[in-house]
Amino acid sequence: DIQMTQSPSTLSASVGDRVTITCRASQSISSWLAWYQQKPGKAPKLLIYKASTLQSGVPSRFSGSGSGTEFTLTISSLQPDDFATYYCQQYSSYLYSFGQGTNLEIK
Amino acid sequence: QVQVVESGGGVVQPGGSLRLSCAASGFTFSSYGMSWVRQAPGKGLEWVAFIRYDGSNKYYADSVKGRFTISRDNSKNTLYLQMNSLRVEDTAVYYCAKEYLRRLDYWGQGTLVTVSS
């Protein structure tokens, strides 16, 4: 099975900051990676798929990059609505797996 | 608009069974694969199971293989998760999610399953 590891687990930042979250796969997954945002008590929301394609309706301050085993999610200028938990997910194999999550909190 | 609504959660004793349902609307249900994903209290997301659009293939996480069964009724636009031999560690919010080209693009609000004596 493919293991996904995110870093950091917690990230403290301020409105306007540029932040980057990293996700590493235990083996190559090409570009079969998605990023989700989850707020407390809510369902996850798809932000990015195929490593770098923005889901419809997602603000352009979100971007993704990477391929193979290393990926990043970048938020160019944090807005108050962006403080949430972020998960990466691989879909290279049908045995999907998620990273453990990154809690983005207000500094 | 696309909607998926889970139901069937509740409290069950260890070793018991429960069947979750997910009612879909706003899209052609029979054309899309569907997944179940769970989240234990205060923990991260864990993918549980996937079923192809026509039910021809099913995949399970190792943690539930042999105990859980995913199925669908395309005539009723409904996804199911039959959970047997439940364990305390199966306690979680269970989400159903629509797939599009294998990414999970729409999620329900979840249903809570609590396994406790």
Side-chain angles (χ1 to χ4, degrees):
Chain A
D1 295 4
I2 300 173
Q3 310 301 319
M4 306 301 292
T5 305
Q6 285 181 237
S7 61
S9 294
T10 303
L11 181 56
S12 297
S14 302
V15 172
D17 284 353
R18 178 185 179 90
V19 298
T20 297
I21 298 169
T22 297
C23 178
R24 290 186 173 85
S26 60
Q27 64 189 70
S28 177
I29 58 170
S30 184
S31 296
W32 303 117
L33 184 101
W35 289 97
Y36 300 86
Q37 176 194 66
Q38 187 181 33
K39 296 182 179 178
K42 300 295 186 181
K45 172 187 171 183
L46 176 65
L47 297 177
I48 287 170
Y49 60 93
K50 212 171 178 185
S52 60
T53 304
L54 213 60
Q55 173 72 350
S56 176
V58 174
S60 59
R61 64 180 179 272
F62 291 91
S63 63
S65 65
S67 65
T69 62
E70 187 151 339
F71 303 85
T72 59
L73 171 69
T74 299
I75 309 173
S76 60
S77 177
L78 273 175
Q79 299 302 302
D81 192 48
D82 300 338
F83 292 95
T85 301
Y86 292 85
Y87 295 92
C88 61
Q89 179 230 342
Q90 67 81 19
Y91 52 101
S92 171
S93 85
Y94 272 114
L95 301 180
Y96 301 158
S97 50
F98 290 90
Q100 80 277 18
T102 295
N103 180 27
L104 177 54
E105 59 181 30
I106 300 174
K107 185 184 288 184
Chain B
Q1 72 281 20
V2 172
Q3 265 200 308
V4 290
V5 179
E6 306 92 338
S7 61
V11 180
V12 61
Q13 292 189 335
S17 297
L18 209 56
R19 187 176 85 155
L20 306 183
S21 299
C22 170
S25 61
F27 65 102
T28 306
F29 180 72
S30 59
S31 296
Y32 294 93
M34 298 290 293
S35 275
W36 287 99
V37 177
R38 69 184 180 183
Q39 187 169 35
K43 303 296 184 183
L45 301 173
E46 180 188 16
W47 171 77
V48 172
F50 165 76
I51 186 168
R52 286 177 61 91
Y53 67 99
D54 58 358
S56 60
N57 292 91
K58 305 172 185 180
Y59 302 87
Y60 299 92
D62 287 345
S63 57
V64 306
K65 197 177 301 183
R67 301 187 299 123
F68 290 12
T69 302
I70 189 171
S71 62
R72 64 192 297 157
D73 185 337
N74 285 346
S75 69
K76 295 182 178 179
N77 290 349
T78 303
L79 175 73
Y80 302 102
L81 186 68
Q82 177 66 43
M83 305 186 294
N84 298 332
S85 304
L86 281 161
R87 306 168 179 167
V88 171
E89 56 264 34
D90 294 319
T91 294
V93 173
Y94 285 73
Y95 296 100
C96 79
K98 169 187 169 290
E99 301 222 346
Y100 178 59
L101 298 178
R102 295 172 61 188
R103 56 194 183 258
L104 304 174
D105 62 349
Y106 287 94
W107 297 60
Q109 287 308 300
T111 187
L112 176 62
V113 172
T114 303
V115 185
S116 172
S117 54

